Amino acid sequence: VLSAALLAPGGSPERDAEAAPPRDLDKKKHGELKMDQALLLIHNELRGTNLTMFWNSERCYHCLFQVLVNVSWSGKPGKPSIAAVAVSTQHGSLLQLNDTLEEKEVCRLEYKFGEFGNYSLVVKHAHNGVGEIACDIVVNKKPVDSNLPVRIAFLIGVALIIAVSFLRFLLSLDDFHNWISKAINSRETDRLINSELGSPSRAASIGGDAQPEAWRPPTATPRLRCVDTFRGIALILMVFVNYGGGKYWYFKHSSWNGLTVADLVFPWFVFIMGSSVFLSMTSILQRGCSKFRLLGKIAWRSFLLICIGVVIVNPNYCLGPLSWDKVRIPGVLQRLGVTYFVVAVLELIFAKPVPESCASERSCFSLRDIIFSWPQWLFILMLESIWLALTFFLPVPGCPTGYLGPGGIGDLGKYPNCTGGAAGYIDRLLLGDDHIYQHPSSAVLYHTQVAYDPEGILGTINSIVMAFLGVQAGKILLYYKDQTKDILIRFTAWCCFLGLISVALTKFSENEGFIPINKNLWSVSYVTTLSSFAFFILLILYPIVDVKGLWTGTPFFYPGMNSILVYVGHEVFENYFPFQWKLQDNQSHKEHLTQNIVATAVWVLIAYILYKKKVFWKI
């Protein structure tokens, strides 16, 4: 690493003779630095002063500064001492230099470093006669554009969409379609004459009356394609981020408060599951199925989801025998199973017949989809009250009541073992430290030392609330069927209403609100914000996919039709080819991004093939 000092100001001939030449720096770059890192050289030109550099990320809220490196005085007048250290490039960095002996601040600055860049921080006396100390950052070697692969991938995706859309448009034109058909028929006729002349039975079988079989829906009950498309969008994003998302920070879960792309997918899946629950249950009851029999199916499906989830989240045989003392109990499918059971049973108990059409009834223009569900809403409000009461009033040993922070070095290190407040305490109390997730996302920036599970017990309450908001979307689609304007008005109203609640709870701030947006806690603001986005997406998808038919939902529709298979499959086969292979450069965003896109595309292809073969895995 120190060989990079050759590019820094003040390099000496003696150092040049002992170090590798500058042209070797690029070859050593990946071996010396990892992804999302840059090289920082600290030049201490203060005579007789030893320095200590402290570091913190701008995304780490109210965090203690961490010691980064010590820079001693060289002891030789006119010759600065140099220390080299790797710094993070994911977010802006807060740097503070202290006089080691006197423990006083020399200077503080903020800077956003670039990946694989080479920088020098020169600390010297300012030439103003006052004795002030100047800290200046010099760029010795420009960083690489780490986001370039994402932009290229996005442009390629847009180009493919435009190309496919243009081709579909051409095929919709009668003249072009007839020309293509004539060209294909002419080529097929020539091929048959040249290759199979004298085989009338074969020719008849190819060019006879047999026609391609028309498409038939996989089920007799009509489906809303926008629901399956939305589920597919959430699922494909989930697969992509679970496979690594190119190792970009914004495709990983946020360390604590705030939102990234990875934080969107699971709640959307929960939301659309709620919509599907109501639509499917209504269809089943209309076909004459008894409530008691349907209750058995609901309980069995929930049990299977929980069991499959426990299997998936625990180590497989490749990592050695499973230790029952370390079994993780919570997980994604476990939460889906519990959420599905509560919401489905709630709707089953208070199920009411849905009219075939209410176009002529005045009650349909009121809030009938809400008023007829008042018992369910009362239950959901009671659940939310329980979440608020436990979160803000449950005494947690050694922690302030109502604590919502990450612990660790957050809050200036005052509550290092209070990660998650009441949510973490309940999980550790009821499940035990060894049966919850051991590597929470808060450990990245906040250096938390205690276990914390983002799919824990208390957060499941708000998962149920979000699924019920999805039920509300399903009721709008069914109660106001064939009334596009009324559906879109209600989607818009819910989107705005939930968005305003989020603004009030968060004060439009990441950390300063009453209840910040937090995926780890599944806070109320997190639920209202993501539900607002979900209603907005349905507001876009429903008219485009189901009303106007401008888009079939391809390619997301196919994974959405086989969601359990794709989710379980991508978890089980994550480490197998073609979903993963050895990379030539393990510290390259480009190679990781390519691998993750290919793996995700393979699952889309698998879902498409299974759809065409009418193979659907249901629990």
Side-chain angles (χ1 to χ4, degrees):
V1 175
L2 288 176
S3 65
L6 294 168
L7 298 177
S12 63
E14 293 80 9
R15 189 184 305 273
D16 293 352
E18 298 175 359
R23 62 177 177 272
D24 291 342
L25 181 63
D26 289 336
K27 297 180 181 179
K28 294 187 176 183
K29 175 178 62 178
H30 292 163
E32 298 164 353
L33 297 173
K34 297 181 180 180
M35 279 186 298
D36 301 320
Q37 285 187 346
L39 181 66
L40 177 62
L41 306 167
I42 302 97
H43 297 251
N44 181 9
E45 298 185 6
L46 301 181
R47 184 175 181 179
T49 303
N50 296 330
L51 299 175
T52 301
M53 171 170 279
F54 296 86
W55 173 88
N56 203 353
S57 170
E58 66 175 6
R59 294 296 300 272
C60 197
Y61 183 65
H62 286 173
C63 289
L64 290 173
F65 275 90
Q66 303 297 297
V67 176
L68 193 61
V69 67
N70 292 310
V71 191
S72 301
W73 180 48
S74 64
K76 299 178 181 180
K79 184 178 180 180
S81 58
I82 301 176
V85 66
V87 291
S88 173
T89 63
Q90 289 188 347
H91 310 291
S93 295
L94 306 178
L95 303 176
Q96 178 176 312
L97 279 167
N98 284 7
D99 186 319
T100 306
L101 183 61
E102 299 183 6
E103 296 185 355
K104 67 177 183 179
E105 181 180 321
V106 174
C107 62
R108 180 182 295 192
L109 64 159
E110 299 181 17
Y111 197 83
K112 178 67 172 68
F113 297 99
E115 189 175 48
F116 298 133
N118 184 295
Y119 303 85
S120 287
L121 173 58
V122 182
V123 185
K124 59 184 179 180
H125 290 287
H127 300 290
N128 53 10
V130 185
E132 292 184 356
I133 296 175
C135 297
D136 300 315
I137 291 182
V138 179
V139 180
N140 307 317
K141 181 178 176 61
K142 291 184 178 180
V144 300
D145 187 355
S146 59
N147 292 311
L148 182 61
V150 175
R151 289 196 289 269
I152 293 176
F154 176 76
L155 292 176
I156 292 174
V158 171
L160 288 175
I161 292 173
I162 294 174
V164 172
S165 301
F166 182 70
L167 182 61
R168 288 175 60 87
F169 171 74
L170 289 178
L171 292 175
S172 66
L173 300 177
D174 292 336
D175 293 340
F176 185 80
H177 181 75
N178 294 335
W179 178 74
I180 291 292
S181 299
K182 289 179 179 179
I184 293 176
N185 291 335
S186 176
R187 289 186 179 182
E188 181 68 14
T189 301
D190 293 341
R191 189 183 67 83
L192 289 173
I193 292 174
N194 294 331
S195 63
E196 301 197 23
L197 189 61
S199 178
S201 59
R202 171 70 174 169
S205 67
I206 296 177
D209 296 332
Q211 298 294 330
E213 183 180 357
W215 179 88
R216 294 185 179 89
T219 59
T221 304
R223 300 177 68 105
L224 287 166
R225 292 182 73 94
C226 67
V227 173
D228 291 310
T229 301
F230 191 4
R231 186 190 298 110
I233 292 173
L235 181 59
I236 289 307
L237 278 175
M238 185 183 293
V239 171
F240 177 68
V241 299
N242 285 350
Y243 277 169
K247 303 296 183 181
Y248 288 99
W249 68 267
Y250 41 81
F251 290 132
K252 300 178 182 178
H253 293 294
S254 56
S255 194
W256 198 248
N257 294 334
L259 281 178
T260 63
V261 175
D263 297 326
L264 307 177
V265 291
F266 186 28
W268 281 349
F269 200 86
V270 171
F271 181 93
I272 212 65
M273 181 187 71
S275 302
S276 301
V277 164
F278 176 75
L279 295 173
S280 62
M281 282 183 54
T282 302
S283 176
I284 292 173
L285 292 174
Q286 286 177 345
R287 292 200 297 265
C289 180
S290 67
K291 287 189 176 182
F292 183 77
R293 183 181 178 186
L294 185 54
L295 177 61
K297 291 183 176 181
I298 291 170
W300 177 245
R301 190 183 192 204
S302 302
F303 174 74
L304 287 179
L305 282 172
I306 294 172
C307 290
I308 295 173
V310 171
V311 172
I312 287 177
V313 300
N314 287 287
N316 58 31
Y317 66 91
C318 295
L319 301 179
L322 176 66
S323 170
W324 293 106
D325 296 333
K326 301 289 185 179
V327 171
R328 181 188 173 194
I329 298 176
V332 171
L333 287 184
Q334 295 91 307
R335 175 169 284 188
L336 286 176
V338 174
T339 301
Y340 168 77
F341 180 80
V342 174
V343 172
V345 170
L346 184 64
E347 283 301 308
L348 183 63
I349 293 173
F350 299 103
K352 293 183 179 181
V354 178
E356 291 293 331
S357 175
C358 59
S360 60
E361 299 180 28
R362 294 186 60 187
S363 60
C364 287
F365 296 95
S366 64
L367 299 176
R368 119 178 248 166
D369 51 308
I370 300 177
I371 295 174
F372 281 12
S373 302
W374 70 266
Q376 296 98 305
W377 276 110
L378 182 61
F379 179 81
I380 292 299
L381 291 175
M382 289 175 57
L383 274 183
E384 191 56 51
S385 299
I386 292 173
W387 185 88
L388 291 170
L390 290 175
T391 299
F392 290 101
F393 299 106
L394 179 69
V396 179
C399 305
T401 304
Y403 182 70
L404 299 177
I409 63 173
D411 300 290
L412 302 178
K414 296 178 181 178
Y415 318 110
N417 298 321
C418 296
T419 304
Y425 174 66
I426 290 174
D427 288 341
R428 291 188 287 271
L429 180 67
L430 299 181
L431 302 177
D433 285 334
D434 294 334
H435 297 291
I436 59 178
Y437 193 50
Q438 301 297 310
H439 310 286
S441 59
S442 55
V444 177
L445 288 182
Y446 292 92
H447 304 286
T448 53
Q449 301 296 322
V450 297
Y452 180 82
D453 207 306
E455 278 77 52
I457 296 173
L458 193 57
T460 304
I461 292 178
N462 280 342
S463 175
I464 294 170
V465 174
M466 182 146 200
F468 188 74
L469 290 171
V471 170
Q472 185 63 38
K475 290 182 178 181
I476 292 173
L477 288 168
L478 202 57
Y479 278 39
Y480 303 94
K481 183 175 59 176
D482 301 326
Q483 300 177 57
T484 304
K485 182 178 178 181
D486 292 330
I487 290 175
L488 298 183
I489 288 175
R490 282 159 176 79
F491 282 169
T492 304
W494 275 106
C495 176
C496 296
F497 175 67
L498 294 170
L500 289 174
I501 293 178
S502 298
V503 170
L505 292 175
T506 63
K507 299 181 181 179
F508 216 72
S509 168
E510 183 175 294
N511 298 295
E512 301 292 342
F514 300 109
I515 304 179
I517 296 173
N518 190 294
K519 189 266 178 187
N520 286 280
L521 297 172
W522 271 69
S523 60
V524 182
S525 56
Y526 179 69
V527 170
T528 55
T529 301
L530 272 298
S531 296
S532 177
F533 290 166
F535 275 106
F536 178 77
I537 291 174
L538 285 178
L539 177 65
I540 301 299
L541 289 180
Y542 176 69
I544 293 176
V545 175
D546 286 298
V547 179
K548 299 294 184 181
L550 299 176
W551 180 38
T552 62
T554 304
F556 305 106
F557 174 76
Y558 308 113
M561 291 288 290
N562 240 327
S563 56
I564 296 297
L565 186 146
V566 172
Y567 178 80
V568 173
H570 101 276
E571 288 280 0
V572 173
F573 296 102
E574 176 182 0
N575 297 318
Y576 292 84
F577 181 82
F579 309 106
Q580 190 176 114
W581 59 84
K582 185 177 181 179
L583 301 178
Q584 185 176 4
D585 183 359
N586 195 46
Q587 299 303 321
S588 168
H589 281 294
K590 178 180 66 176
E591 293 197 33
H592 281 284
L593 183 65
T594 302
Q595 184 181 76
N596 300 151
I597 290 177
V598 169
T600 306
V602 170
W603 281 113
V604 174
L605 179 61
I606 291 172
Y608 173 76
I609 293 172
L610 293 177
Y611 177 84
K612 287 299 183 180
K613 292 182 176 293
K614 301 178 183 178
V615 177
F616 302 94
W617 185 27
K618 297 182 180 180
I619 298 177

